[in-house]
Each structure stands twice: as C-alpha cells, then as structure tokens.
C-alpha cells in the first residue's frame, strides 16, 4: 500500500483523494480550456483518470508498463508513457508537469517530459519539453506565418538525475490567432530552480501542430528513450494569465507536498 493514498485537506490547503467524485480548481483559476488533469501519485489505474471537469470519458491511455512507486510513476520515453485525449492542432497551450529525469541525460538517454512529439520535415515541434543535455531542459515549438516556418526553443539550466528533487515545469505558448504580444511567446519556467526563459513567437506567426495526441513521458515519433519520475500533468488549451499560473503553482506545491514532493 502506498504511504500517501490521497490528501486530506486541512488549513485551507488543496489536494485530492483518488476516491473522490470530482476535483475543484483553486479559486482564481478559470477552468475554461482545461483539457486534462492526471495525478500519478496513486498507481497507474488512478493515473489514467482525467480529473478535468466536463471531460468525463476522455481518460488517458497507457503504452507499455509504467512502474508504480510511492507517490509517482516511472515512465520511459517511447516505451512506457501516457497519451492524453487532445490532438495537437496548433492551439494555445499551458502545461504543468511535476517530474524529474532519472536517466544519464546524454545522447538519446534523455527524458521527454511531455508534448505532442515531432513530425514532418523539417521537424515540427509539438509544444514539447524534454531534457536537452545534462543539467539542461528544452522547451520547443514550431510556428509559421504561412511561408516561413521557424522553430522557437527555450533552454533552462535545470540539474537532473535520480538524486535531484522533483521538478515542477510550466510551458505556455500561443496558437492560432495569437499576436506578437509577450503573452503568446514560448515560455518555460521551473519552480524548484527558479529558472525561466522565453522566445518571441513573432507578429503574424501561429503555432504549427503535429496532428498527434499529447503525451506525458513520451509521444509520437519521440526518439529519445530516457526514464523519468512523474506525479502530475495538467493541460489547458489556452494561455493562462501570470496570476493564474502563480495560483496553480502554489496549488501544485501544496498537493505535491502531501505526496512527499517539494518538502
């Protein structure tokens, strides 16, 4: 039996119980565009359930055999991972992922935290986040103005390895109909290290989707094969405001602490 079977709220903290009927987002976060919430803290069967309100029946599917640990799943890119219901059509995205890379982080032995994989030629990046090299993660996406496709990449100096703490990543990017405003830029942040970075999307550019489903720990045409430990994955098909991201991060820190993370 797992040591942290759910979370009993106290003193206003947020959390969840795997046997609950529903989950409520913290006050101040608009649920518009919420596509999935997957907790991986209580085994594989519970991890497949989509807790997003109004998304009943749109659960994740599993590829391979993720390993169950106390408070998280061990995933292996391209072998053992989850696939969400949403197809990447180039929409805006906000992604929250609690995870760490436990591979060597060199060559192909790197972990794919989440995204819609890679497709096409030249390679189309599906709003992905993955380990770039030892002690570095990369957020990537592909954009086009109709004639000149460009790739945007954000690199963060984030240490990894089995002994590293569980990370908490946020990735956002605008999609079709977005503008040159900074709110639509590709942005990646990580709570534990405090690292954050962005790359401008550019006026007139819109994100190019892969046409594949979004995955957690792996995705379509991912060639890296490293392993990682993941406890939470949340996806919105819109760009959350700075205030909403702060509220969500606080909620996830508190909930993660109930399962032994971010202590």
């Amino acid at each position: 039996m797992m040591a942290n079977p759910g979370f009993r709220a106290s003193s206003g903290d947020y959390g969840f119980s795997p046997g609950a009927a529903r989950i409520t987002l913290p006050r101040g976060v608009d649920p518009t565009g919420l596509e999935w919430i997957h907790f991986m803290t209580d085994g594989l069967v519970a991890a497949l359930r989509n807790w997003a309100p109004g998304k009943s029946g749109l659960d994740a599917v599993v590829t391979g055999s993720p390993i169950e640990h106390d408070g998280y799943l061990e995933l292996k890119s391209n072998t053992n991972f989850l696939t969400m219901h949403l197809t990447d059509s180039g929409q805006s995205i906000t992604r929250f992922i609690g995870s760490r890379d436990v591979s060597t982080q060199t060559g192909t032995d790197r972990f794919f935290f989440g995204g819609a994989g890679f497709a096409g030629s030249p390679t189309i990046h599906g709003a992905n986040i993955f380990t770039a090299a030892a002690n570095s993660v990369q957020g990537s996406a592909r954009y086009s103005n109709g004639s000149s496709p460009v790739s945007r990449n954000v690199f963060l100096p984030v240490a990894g390895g089995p002994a590293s703490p569980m990370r908490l990543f946020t990735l956002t990017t605008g999609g079709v109909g977005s503008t040159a405003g900074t709110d639509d830029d590709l942005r990646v942040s990580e709570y534990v290290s405090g690292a954050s970075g962005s790359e401008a999307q550019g006026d007139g550019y819109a994100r190019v989707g892969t046409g594949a489903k979004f995955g957690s720990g792996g995705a379509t045409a991912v060639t890296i094969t490293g392993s990682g430990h993941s406890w939470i994955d949340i996806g919105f098909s819109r760009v959350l405001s700075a205030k909403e991201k702060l509220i969500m991060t606080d909620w996830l820190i508190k909930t993660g602490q109930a399962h032994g993370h971010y202590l």
Side-chain angles (χ1 to χ4, degrees), residues 78-137:
N78 211 29
T79 303
N80 306 319
F81 60 93
L82 306 184
T83 300
M84 284 59 177
H85 75 92
L86 188 66
T87 297
D88 180 12
S89 60
Q91 63 273 71
S92 299
I93 287 291
T94 300
R95 191 84 177 263
F96 297 91
I97 300 176
S99 185
R100 63 185 165 207
D101 187 335
V102 298
S103 57
T104 65
Q105 302 160 39
T106 59
T108 60
D109 188 32
R110 296 172 285 127
F111 186 57
F112 184 89
F113 293 97
F118 307 98
S121 180
T123 299
I124 298 172
H125 299 257
N128 302 322
I129 183 167
F130 52 94
T131 298
N135 300 331
S136 176
V137 297

Side-chain angles (χ1 to χ4, degrees), residues 2-256:
M2 295 185 177
N4 298 292
F7 173 55
R8 291 166 177 79
S10 62
S11 303
D13 289 348
Y14 293 97
F16 92 109
S17 169
R22 61 188 297 269
I23 193 167
T24 302
L25 289 178
R27 184 176 302 166
V29 177
D30 183 348
T32 299
L34 177 58
E35 298 291 344
W36 69 80
I37 302 177
H38 291 284
F39 290 97
M40 306 176 204
T41 53
D42 295 86
L44 178 59
V45 173
L48 299 179
R49 177 178 174 181
N50 187 352
W51 288 81
K55 301 298 180 179
S56 176
L58 297 176
D59 292 342
V61 297
V62 62
T63 295
S65 302
I67 301 171
E68 297 181 356
H69 291 274
D70 183 9
Y72 59 88
L73 292 181
E74 183 171 333
L75 307 175
K76 185 175 177 62
S77 301
N78 211 29
T79 303
N80 306 319
F81 60 93
L82 306 184
T83 300
M84 284 59 177
H85 75 92
L86 188 66
T87 297
D88 180 12
S89 60
Q91 63 273 71
S92 299
I93 287 291
T94 300
R95 191 84 177 263
F96 297 91
I97 300 176
S99 185
R100 63 185 165 207
D101 187 335
V102 298
S103 57
T104 65
Q105 302 160 39
T106 59
T108 60
D109 188 32
R110 296 172 285 127
F111 186 57
F112 184 89
F113 293 97
F118 307 98
S121 180
T123 299
I124 298 172
H125 299 257
N128 302 322
I129 183 167
F130 52 94
T131 298
N135 300 331
S136 176
V137 297
Q138 178 178 350
S140 65
R142 185 82 168 164
Y143 304 88
S144 178
N145 64 356
S147 60
S148 302
V150 294
S151 293
R152 299 292 187 230
N153 296 281
V154 174
F155 294 89
L156 297 184
V158 177
S164 71
M166 193 72 76
R167 301 296 175 175
L168 183 56
F169 296 101
T170 304
L171 179 149
T172 65
T173 180
V176 176
S178 55
T179 70
T182 57
D183 287 345
D184 288 326
D185 291 345
L186 175 64
R187 292 181 172 274
V188 182
S189 301
E190 199 281 305
Y191 156 73
V192 176
S193 67
S196 184
S198 66
E199 279 290 325
Q201 176 173 301
D203 193 17
Y205 281 81
R207 195 172 73 80
V208 180
T210 62
K213 300 286 188 182
F214 285 91
S216 184
T220 301
V222 170
T223 56
I224 57 179
T225 58
S227 296
H229 295 161
S230 297
W231 77 270
I232 187 69
D233 195 313
I234 299 177
F236 286 79
S237 55
R238 67 179 179 90
V239 176
L240 271 64
S241 69
K243 181 178 180 180
E244 287 178 308
K245 285 188 282 189
L246 286 173
I247 294 171
M248 285 294 295
T249 300
D250 181 65
W251 181 62
L252 290 171
I253 292 167
K254 289 185 170 74
T255 307

